[in-house]
Every structure is written in structure tokens, then in C-alpha cells.
Amino acid sequence: MNGIVVLLVGALLCFYGIRSLHLAVLAVGFGLGWLIADLFNPSVSALFLFALIGAVTAWVVTTLVFKFSTFFIGGLAGAMVGARAADVLQPGENNWALSGIVIVAFAVAAAFLADKFRARALLWLTSIGGASMILDGLGRTTDALGFLHNPTSAWQQVVATAAWIALSVAGWMTQRRLFADKLGIDPPPAGKTTRGTDMV
């Protein structure tokens, strides 16, 4: 059940994140709380508690400082991506210090990118962050896909990373097509490729 919840929140963020900043904030906060707590193998109830705390905290902080909301959303999404990257890069036991460094580095870089490029950066960040949650959720739904949640061998890491990239691109393409008006771009006509000048 918990895998399905994470999968659904991830799908919302990956394919619909740029549509509503409020939904994006709640989904990113939920995902960040979940993925950081998940690095250290807590109980399911603790995972949900950290995820809910993350969602509420992210929404409250962003609401209080709405002028800087893009910066904060970008930072939160980057931290979520960093938490997933830390999990994929560390097979077996996760190191607190290394995980913290990876999460902070991704958060800071993403915050500045989101502040500079606004909706276009958030499009990428919500797609990548949502894809990480989808894979985490899929990995929890069945043992056969468990390696997507916690890849341990080299081949599992390669497959999990490739799936992460593929889902991220699918989310990017979907959001770009559905919400072109929010991004300030013209959607390409059906069957046509986009020119490099209006790539998001």
C-alpha cells in the first residue's frame, strides 16, 4: 500500500508538477521527507510521518516566503533528487555524511537553477523528482521490482538509473506539451520536432 501512495505522489509530480505550485510544493515536501527517511530504513509509519511533516513544512515555508518560492521549490526538488541519487550511489548501507553532502549539493544547485530559470528549471526538477518517487513506489509494490527501490548490484544500479532517466524524460515531455502556456512556449504541432531555440 505504501508503495502505491509514493507511486501516485511521484506520478503527480512527474507529469503534473508544473501546473500548480501548491501541488508541487506539497508533493515535493512529501517526497523529500519520504526519501530522506527511507535512506535509513525506518518503519512504514515513520516514513509516512516524515513525508507528511515534509509536505506541511514545505508548504508553510513556501507560503511565508512566496517571493522566493521558486528558489525554495527548486531547492526542495533538488534535495529530493539528491536523496534518490544518494540511495542509488550507495548500494547496501547508506552513509549519513555522504548522503547529507549529496542532498545539500543537489538542493543548493537546484535552488539557484530554479531561481534563475524559473518554470523551465522547475519543469526539469519536478520531472526528475517525480520519476524518483515513481521508481521508489514501484520497488515497494512487488519483490520482483524491489531493485528499483534499493539497487544493490551493478546491473540493478544501471537498470534503475536508466529507468529514472527514461521516466524523467517522459515527465518532461508530458508537462511540456500539456502546460506550454505556463512555460511561455508554443507547443510543437503534432508530429513535428521542437527547434533548439525553444527547448525547455
Side-chain angles (χ1 to χ4, degrees):
M1 177 63 181
N2 58 330
I4 294 172
V5 172
V6 175
L7 193 155
L8 292 175
V9 173
L12 172 72
L13 187 60
C14 185
F15 297 104
Y16 201 76
I18 201 70
R19 179 65 183 92
S20 166
L21 285 183
H22 290 286
L23 281 177
V25 168
L26 289 169
V28 164
F30 183 94
L32 178 60
W34 182 282
L35 291 172
I36 288 178
D38 189 49
L39 286 170
F40 308 103
N41 302 313
S43 66
V44 173
S45 57
L47 279 172
F48 274 105
L49 179 63
F50 274 92
L52 291 173
I53 289 171
V56 171
T57 303
W59 189 80
V60 168
V61 169
T62 304
T63 302
L64 289 174
V65 287
F66 197 76
K67 182 178 179 183
F68 304 103
S69 62
T70 305
F71 184 86
F72 280 106
I73 294 169
L76 290 169
M80 187 170 61
V81 172
R84 175 66 182 172
D87 200 27
V88 170
L89 295 172
Q90 298 178 83
E93 283 294 312
N94 287 311
N95 179 301
W96 278 85
L98 180 58
S99 296
I101 290 169
V102 171
I103 291 167
V104 169
F106 272 85
V108 170
F112 282 104
L113 284 172
D115 190 50
K116 183 170 177 58
F117 298 107
R118 302 285 172 182
R120 293 174 181 236
L122 289 178
L123 170 63
W124 276 108
L125 292 168
T126 56
S127 298
I128 295 169
S132 70
M133 290 184 66
I134 291 171
L135 293 178
D136 190 75
L138 278 174
R140 292 170 177 278
T141 56
T142 175
D143 290 339
L145 297 175
F147 71 92
L148 292 174
H149 160 63
N150 188 21
T152 53
S153 66
W155 76 265
Q156 290 176 340
Q157 288 178 308
V158 169
V159 172
T161 302
W164 191 10
I165 292 168
L167 263 176
S168 299
V169 171
W172 175 84
M173 290 172 65
T174 301
Q175 289 195 71
R176 189 175 190 278
R177 183 167 291 279
L178 291 177
F179 309 121
D181 58 326
K182 266 188 104 56
L183 296 164
I185 57 173
D186 293 325
K192 298 270 185 171
T193 56
T194 55
R195 291 176 174 260
T197 54
D198 79 338
M199 286 294 283
V200 174

